[in-house]
Amino acid sequence: MLHGLKVTASVLTSTAALWRGTDCFAPAREPPAELLRLYEFEGCPYCRMVRQTLTELDLDVLILPCPKGGTRFRPTALELGGKAQFPLLEDPNTGTRMYESRDIAAYLAQTYGGHARANTEPLRSLFLLGSMGASALRPLSGMRARPSKAPEQPLELYSFESSPYSRLVRERLCELELPYILRNTGKAAWTDMGPPAVRDRLLKAPADSGRNRAALLARTGRVQVPYLIDPNTNTEMFESADIIDYLERQYAA
């Protein structure tokens, strides 16, 4: 019951953000050889803008959560960038380190190809307003750190930014300061739109339209997010409620 209410609230959050971060119709042409690193926190509207761009460009990234009150990655971000400002992108492929969501979006598109919608006005202002509205709807979620046990290896999450179910998992990962590789699984074709029952049963559309969608299908036999992989315990699972329960049992202190 409670989880259902949270899902409903998350749907409203995606609606406020105009469902940006759903598709990857114009992905990066030259994905980076090494994982990008992003210091951010889930509830931040500017961080959301960068995550939306990453979904649109179909780029994977190592998320290093920096919620308010966090002690695991915030000090490192401050040391690297010189100020407690987020998002902070670090690209080991080019030695680039930068703030500002607009600059990060432009850098990613210019460096790796593809198209990010929020690079130009008036779309940027519209999407930023939507992102701020989305944060206002969930003022306490994905914002503040909670005590947790640090994993030896980063977790791995198949997700796309606007997914209401994936958001609930990302919020918990952020609050527990658990690093994870975000495998962006945006919808790469119009036939991917809508719930799986419509896509798979009525449209009978191929589910492997995108890079990570194909990888997820090969790994599990279906395309559904969120999907969590924890190499520390050899655990893999679907379903947001089950994933959140697992994270609480395994890592919450």
Side-chain angles (χ1 to χ4, degrees), residues 131-185:
S131 188
M132 288 179 170
S135 292
L137 284 171
R138 303 180 67 74
L140 302 178
S141 301
M143 292 288 284
R144 295 199 171 275
R146 295 175 45 206
S148 69
K149 296 172 287 186
E152 291 185 6
Q153 303 177 68
L155 282 64
E156 194 169 340
L157 182 70
Y158 284 81
S159 162
F160 58 89
E161 177 57 31
S162 69
S163 165
Y165 295 95
S166 298
R167 177 178 295 107
L168 300 178
V169 173
R170 296 195 311 262
E171 287 172 347
R172 195 58 53 93
L173 288 165
C174 180
E175 292 164 0
L176 296 175
E177 296 183 273
L178 301 179
Y180 64 98
I181 299 170
L182 177 59
R183 301 290 186 193
N184 274 300
T185 317

Side-chain angles (χ1 to χ4, degrees), residues 81-110:
K83 52 185 175 180
Q85 178 179 318
F86 303 96
L88 170 63
L89 178 76
E90 186 177 20
D91 186 348
N93 301 278
T94 63
T96 299
R97 201 175 288 151
M98 64 194 310
Y99 293 108
E100 301 297 342
S101 59
R102 180 198 294 268
D103 294 341
I104 292 172
Y107 167 80
L108 292 173
Q110 291 167 6

